[in-house]
Amino acid sequence: RKEVEQDPGPFNVPEGATVAFNCTYSNSASQSFFWYRQDCRKEPKLLMSVYSSGNEDGRFTAQLNRASQYISLLIRDSKLSDSATYLCVVNRDSGYSTLTFGKGTMLLVSP
Amino acid sequence: NAGVTQTPKFQVLKTGQSMTLQCAQDMNHEYMSWYRQDPGMGLRLIHYSVGAGITDQGEVPNGYNVSRSTTEDFPLRLLSAAPSQTSVYFCASRPGHLYEQYFGPGTRLTVT
């Protein structure tokens, strides 16, 4: 099993739609989880951290399921500007650790 | 704050040439990292540093050297460029107590 796996997409949705991405991770000792966003030919930027109890930031909701080792990102009321690649990121272990990036899921929002 | 800066933005090298990719951050972050991003491969860690004078290898270190003489700078050296090193290189930094990485704008390197 790969360390972090994501469906590469693309997910094609119309404006206003709700879309969800899942990401699975293999290391049960992973401590921290994040979603990053990467626009075409740009650097990745943190979208949101993922907390055990789930968290919401405006139209974005992140969930963590430790038992099944997956995290999810839900985007409500999609905007054209949401078109990007969404990277699932997991830390490898406790202490100083390096982050493992998934390959990303591409989202395309159309008018 | 300029954040994380990288130079050059674009570079073309011939096989066997050497060069240094520059990375600097002005946020006083302890941790700095170099990644490469290739189509279908995602971001892969090359080298990282947890502070001035301390560096370690990441997932794909072969063919690259790093040093960290100051908190601000973390250059990446390609010793003898190969076509397999054609990629987009990102430098990133973060505070020691947080996992949020701040990325530079990237260097697009082509080796012919």
Side-chain angles (χ1 to χ4, degrees), chain A residues 21-38:
Chain A
F21 311 133
N22 281 340
C23 162
T24 58
Y25 61 94
S26 61
N27 187 347
S28 59
S30 296
Q31 302 282 330
S32 304
F33 310 89
F34 310 89
W35 284 101
Y36 276 69
R37 170 194 169 125
Q38 186 172 23

Side-chain angles (χ1 to χ4, degrees), chain A residues 6 9 31 38 40 55 57-58 66 88 93 98:
Chain A
Q6 295 182 252
Q31 302 282 330
Q38 186 172 23
C40 187
N55 49 299
D57 183 1
R66 286 190 184 273
C88 173
D93 47 45
T98 55

Side-chain angles (χ1 to χ4, degrees), chain B residues 11 13 36-39 44 64 78 81-89 107-112:
Chain B
Q11 183 70 49
L13 291 178
R36 59 178 290 173
Q37 187 173 37
D38 302 293
R44 292 183 291 170
Y64 307 95
L78 279 70
S84 62
Q85 293 179 306
T86 294
S87 188
V88 180
Y89 291 85
T107 294
R108 284 164 176 75
L109 175 69
T110 301
V111 182
T112 61

Side-chain angles (χ1 to χ4, degrees), chain A residues 31-32 34 36 38 40-46 87 91-99 101-103, chain B residues 10 31-33 35 37 40-43 45 48-50 59 90 94 99-106 108:
Chain A
Q31 302 282 330
S32 304
F34 310 89
Y36 276 69
Q38 186 172 23
C40 187
R41 299 181 69 79
K42 297 285 190 181
E43 71 273 23
K45 293 184 179 179
L46 179 68
L87 308 176
N91 86 315
R92 280 201 178 123
D93 47 45
S94 58
Y96 174 74
S97 68
T98 55
L99 299 174
F101 286 77
K103 296 178 183 179
Chain B
F10 301 93
Y31 298 162
M32 297 186 74
S33 304
Y35 296 86
Q37 187 173 37
M41 298 295 293
L43 282 156
L45 182 65
Y48 65 95
S49 168
V50 299
E59 187 181 353
F90 289 104
R94 68 177 175 91
Y99 284 111
E100 177 181 357
Q101 297 247 30
Y102 294 81
F103 284 84
R108 284 164 176 75

